[in-house]
Amino acid sequence: MPEDNVQKCKGCNRPLDMPAFEANMRICPKCGSHEQVPVRERIKMTVDEGSFKELWGHLVSKDLIGFADSKPYADRITETIDKTGENDAIVTGDALIHGTKVAIGFMNFGFIGGSMGVVVGEKIMRLAEHALKEKVPMIIFAQSGGARMQESVFSLMQLARMSGAIYRFQEHGGLYISVICNPCTGGASASFAFQGDLIISEPGALIGFAGPRVIEQTIKQKLPPGFQTAEFLQEKGFLDKVVDRKNMRWMLGKVLSLYRGIPMEVI
Ligand SMILES: [Zn+2]
C-alpha cells in the first residue's frame, strides 16, 4: 500500500493495523490514544444491543442567510448528507444502557466538524424535553468544533435554547450525564457539554472554548503543559472523571443503576 494511504495514529504517528485497531474500539494498541469513532459505531459500543431507537432523524438544516464560503452552504449540506448518510451533526434517540432507559444524543464530528446549527440545537432541546416527559436520565456525547458559522446568529441562538431546556429538565430532578469526546470546543463547551450533573471525558480529549494560541495572545502568558486536555481539566476540577473508552459503558451503567427506581422529582 502506498505510504500516503496508511492511516496513522494521531497520538504516536505510527501506522495503524486497521482490523486490530477497530477491534480495539479505535484505541491505538501502541500508545493508548483514543482516536475518533464514527457516530454509528459509537452508538453500538455504548447502548444495549438493538435498543437504540432514533428520534427526529429527519431534521435537515436550511441555508437561512444565503451563506457561501468556498461553496454555497446549501450545497455543502446536500453534499455532506450524501457523503455521510447522516442528516446533521447529532444523532438522538431512546436506548437502554445495562437495562436502564435513557434519552441519548451522540454528536457526529464527521458532519461539518460536529458544528452546531439550528438542527443540533433543536434536537438537543427536544431530547431534554423528551427526557423530562418520559422521566428518564439524559446522556449526550459531546464532540464539536463549536457553532456552525454558516448559520451565524441562528447557530448562536441555539446555546440559549439548549441550555434552557436542559436547565428545566435538571430543575425537575432529571439526571444529565455529559460525556466529552475529542475535541469539544467553542459553543459546545459553553453550553450543554458543561451542564452535566456528571461530566466525564475520554482520555486526552481537547476541551476548551478558544484555542490556546488565541488565549496566549490575549493574556500574554505561556500556557502550562497539557492545558485544555481532559486530564488537566479533571485536575482543576472542571471534570468529574476521565474514563477509558473500554470502561465507558460500564461506568454509565453503574451511575444509572444508582438512580434507577428513584422518582425524578425526588432526586
Ligand atoms: Zn498511537
Side-chain angles (χ1 to χ4, degrees), residues 26 39 46 118 144-145 197 240 257 266:
R26 295 185 186 265
V39 69
T46 306
V118 173
S144 170
D197 298 292
D240 294 301
S257 74
V266 183

Side-chain angles (χ1 to χ4, degrees), residues 9 11-12 28 30-33:
C9 166
C12 63
C28 172
K30 308 239 169 62
C31 73
S33 169

